[in-house]
Amino acid sequence: MLAMDTSSAHGVVGVVSGNVVLSERLEDVPGASSEGLLPMVRDCLDGAHVGLREIDAIVVGRGPGSFTGTRMALATAKGFALGLGIPIVSVSSIEAAALDAGVDGIVAIALDAKKGEFLVAAYRCGPSVVRVGGREMETRAAMPVLDPMLCALERAMEAVRGIGADRVIGIPGDAGPLISGPLPLCWVALARMSRGERDDPDTVEPVYSRPPPGG
């Protein structure tokens, strides 16, 4: 599988076979722009000694994330799937990030949605990953104009502490970074595939942390 995700502050690309990561690349998203993501893919394939036509499926993080970042990997993944005639499987980037935390318990995620807002989600991780406490990214805390980022951080911490999480990720200065590694991305994808689920490259859409411009 060729896995990629550019929905967070990092761009991730990896080649995965079974439970083994053959090769992976991690860069800041600005370096994984439309002209930078393809070299990351090429480097991963070269590092794994795998040809592009040996890839059996494309796995892509669909967000939630920023408008530009989330579309970046999805558009690239669609192109590969259509060009190679192989399946594309999109997965929740934050679900994969929860698995990537390596915690056997509840992982809470606070995603910066900008403009003084945070979105909060929680997952129970173990042999599988299950959302707890409501729908994914259900909590949106609208912040007052005065000192909105400080208020957002405080509200986000209140929300995740209320969940009783064993690990919190995504809050600057208080937790680990929000990264969906290639192996967790593929684990979530394989769970979907085991249920017979695939995505149509013509219709699969990204999930944004807030409505896109003009949306």
Side-chain angles (χ1 to χ4, degrees):
M1 288 181 165
L2 174 63
M4 60 186 73
D5 192 338
T6 55
S7 63
S8 74
H10 302 85
V12 176
V13 177
V15 178
V16 176
S17 177
N19 284 321
V20 178
V21 178
L22 301 179
S23 180
E24 66 179 303
R25 297 291 183 272
L26 171 65
E27 293 185 10
D28 292 340
V29 163
S33 61
S34 56
E35 64 271 11
L37 185 56
L38 290 178
M40 289 176 66
V41 170
R42 183 175 60 247
D43 287 348
C44 271
L45 292 170
D46 289 345
H49 305 290
V50 170
L52 187 57
R53 295 199 174 276
E54 296 177 76
I55 297 296
D56 298 302
I58 305 293
V59 177
V60 60
R62 64 173 178 266
S66 67
F67 177 73
T68 302
T70 306
R71 294 186 68 86
M72 192 186 301
L74 188 57
T76 302
K78 286 182 178 185
F80 281 134
L82 288 169
L84 297 170
I86 58 177
I88 179 173
V89 185
S90 70
V91 302
S92 165
S93 300
I94 57 171
E95 185 175 333
L99 275 178
D100 204 60
V103 173
D104 187 6
I106 296 178
V107 177
I109 295 174
L111 179 66
D112 186 358
K114 308 303 181 183
K115 297 188 177 180
E117 294 183 339
F118 268 74
L119 306 181
V120 178
Y123 294 89
R124 185 182 300 280
C125 300
S128 59
V129 57
V130 180
R131 291 194 299 271
V132 295
R135 295 176 301 173
E136 178 179 296
M137 306 307 289
E138 184 178 26
T139 304
R140 177 183 290 272
M143 300 299 143
V145 175
L146 181 64
D147 203 0
M149 183 52 67
L150 177 59
C151 292
L153 291 171
E154 290 175 352
R155 292 279 189 89
M157 285 307 300
E158 288 173 6
V160 296
R161 284 171 180 152
I163 291 169
D166 298 292
R167 174 87 187 272
V168 179
I169 58 177
I171 298 178
D174 198 274
L178 187 67
I179 299 175
S180 308
L183 192 55
L185 285 166
C186 290
W187 282 340
V188 177
L190 285 170
R192 287 199 63 201
M193 294 174 75
S194 70
R195 299 190 294 267
E197 299 174 4
R198 305 286 194 279
D199 287 293
D200 184 340
D202 290 324
T203 60
V204 61
E205 292 292 336
V207 177
Y208 303 117
S209 55
R210 64 183 310 108

